[in-house]
Amino acid sequence: MKKSATEFNLPVQAIVLAAIAWAVMALLFFLLFSISLPDQGRPAWYGLITYIFENGAFLGAGILCLRNWRSPQIVSGRTVWLAIGLGMLSFFIGNLLLGYWELALQQEPAVSPGDPFFILTYLFIGGGMFLAVLSRRLNLALVQWLTVAGIGLAGSTLVYYLYAAPEEAVAEAAEAEPIAETTAPSWALAIEQQLSPFADAVALLYVVGDILLVIMATTLLLAFWGGRFSQSWRFIAAAAFCFYIADIWFSWATRYIPDYQTGALPEVFWVFSGVLFAIGAALEYDLSTRSRRSSRRRA
C-alpha cells in the first residue's frame, strides 16, 4: 500500500529527543528568568519567549495527533486522536490570541477572545480521553474505582476552595492592582466589553473542565496500566495532569496575586503538557505501525 503524499514519517526517537530537549530548554529558561527584580516587571521579551515555548509544544503535539488521525493503522481509533489533536490546536489558537492581547495590546481583560478556544481545549481533550477509555471496555477493580473517586474528590476540593474564596480576599487583591491607562484600539475594547458579561460563566466552565480533566486522566491511567499500548497512554495521562497543575496555579495566581504577570515558574507545566502529548502521540504511531508491519510479515 502506497503512503499518502501528505504523510510524514519521522523516527520516534528523533521526536522524543526533540520533545525532551524542548522541555528542558523551557525549564531552564523559566528557572533563569522567571524571577523578576523587586518593583520591576518582567521584560517584554520574556513573555514572548514563554508563549513561543508553550505554543511550539502544543502545535507540535497537534500535528502529531492529527498524523495519528490520518493513519488507518492507528490501533486506538482515529477519532480519539482527531479529538485530542483539535484540543491541541484549540489551545494553540487561544494562546496566540491571549498573547496578542497581553503583549501587543497590553490588556488583561476578564475574558479574552482566547477563552472560547481554551474551553474547546477541555472539551476536545476530555472527549478524546473518554473515547480512548471507552474503547478499552473499562473493567476496573473496586480499589481502582476508589482511586479514581479519591483523586477526583481531591481535585474537586482543591478547585472548589480556589474559586470559593472569601469575596473580601479577592476584592483586596483587585484593589491592590494599579489602574493603568489603556492605549488599546477601540475595536479591542469593544470586544472586551462584549465578552465581560460572560466572566462568571467562563470561570465556572474552567472549574468543571479542571475537575473532569483530572478524573479522566486518572481513569485513563488505570485503564491503560498494562499491555503493549499502555506506554503512550501513560504519557497522555501525565500530560493531562501537567495541564491541570498549570491551570490551577494560573487560576490561583490571577485571583490572589495583585498585578500578576504571566510567566511564573509553575506555568512551565503547560509546556510539559504539550511535550507529553507529543511524545504519547509519537509512541502510539510507532507502536501501531510496527504492529501492522509485524502482522504482515508473519502472514
Side-chain angles (χ1 to χ4, degrees):
M1 184 175 62
K2 294 183 179 180
K3 291 184 179 181
S4 171
T6 58
E7 184 177 348
F8 63 95
N9 189 15
L10 297 174
V12 65
Q13 295 87 351
I15 295 175
V16 172
L17 288 175
I20 293 174
W22 191 263
V24 171
M25 288 190 298
L27 178 60
L28 291 175
F29 179 80
F30 275 81
L31 285 172
L32 291 173
F33 302 110
S34 63
I35 300 177
S36 57
L37 296 175
D39 300 326
Q40 295 185 19
R42 299 186 182 95
W45 57 264
Y46 175 82
L48 177 62
I49 296 177
T50 59
Y51 275 107
I52 290 174
F53 274 121
E54 293 171 5
N55 282 6
F58 277 89
L59 178 60
I63 292 172
L64 292 172
C65 290
L66 293 182
R67 179 181 70 160
N68 289 3
W69 164 61
R70 290 182 57 83
S71 174
Q73 298 176 318
I74 208 72
V75 172
S76 54
R78 297 170 62 185
T79 307
V80 171
W81 291 102
L82 174 61
I84 297 177
L86 290 176
M88 300 295 100
L89 296 182
S90 295
F91 185 92
F92 172 77
I93 296 172
N95 222 30
L96 279 181
L97 293 172
L98 179 61
Y100 174 74
W101 236 254
E102 182 182 14
L103 300 178
L105 301 181
Q106 299 293 312
Q107 293 295 103
E108 297 181 4
V111 181
S112 78
D115 283 298
F117 292 95
F118 292 139
I119 292 170
L120 286 176
T121 300
Y122 287 106
L123 294 176
F124 284 128
I125 294 177
M129 291 194 297
F130 176 76
L131 291 174
V133 170
L134 200 63
S135 68
R136 295 281 292 186
R137 296 177 182 178
L138 191 61
N139 186 21
L140 300 181
L142 178 61
V143 175
Q144 293 175 313
W145 280 117
L146 291 175
T147 301
V148 173
I151 294 179
L153 180 61
S156 303
T157 303
L158 179 60
V159 172
Y160 171 78
Y161 280 108
L162 172 66
Y163 286 93
E167 294 183 0
E168 56 270 16
V170 179
E172 288 176 4
E175 290 174 0
E177 296 182 3
I179 301 175
E181 295 183 1
T182 179
T183 57
S186 57
W187 60 266
L189 297 176
I191 291 176
E192 292 179 14
Q193 187 176 7
Q194 291 176 354
L195 293 176
S196 59
F198 300 100
D200 291 337
V202 169
L204 178 61
L205 289 174
Y206 281 141
V207 171
V208 175
D210 282 328
I211 293 172
L212 293 180
L213 194 64
V214 73
I215 292 174
M216 288 305 305
T218 305
T219 308
L220 188 71
L221 191 63
L222 294 175
F224 286 90
W225 189 251
R228 183 180 178 185
F229 290 90
S230 62
Q231 186 179 24
S232 57
W233 288 102
R234 288 200 292 268
F235 278 99
I236 298 298
F241 280 120
C242 286
F243 194 94
Y244 173 82
I245 292 170
D247 250 15
I248 290 297
W249 159 258
F250 186 78
S251 298
W252 181 86
T254 54
R255 194 170 177 84
Y256 296 112
I257 299 179
D259 197 24
Y260 175 72
Q261 288 184 313
T262 59
L265 179 59
E267 292 183 27
V268 76
F269 279 93
W270 272 318
V271 182
F272 293 164
S273 178
V275 164
L276 290 170
F277 274 117
I279 293 176
L283 290 175
E284 179 78 3
Y285 184 86
D286 181 65
L287 288 170
S288 297
T289 53
R290 282 197 291 116
S291 176
R292 295 299 174 89
R293 287 197 299 267
S294 299
S295 299
R296 286 199 296 268
R297 283 198 296 268
R298 287 196 296 269

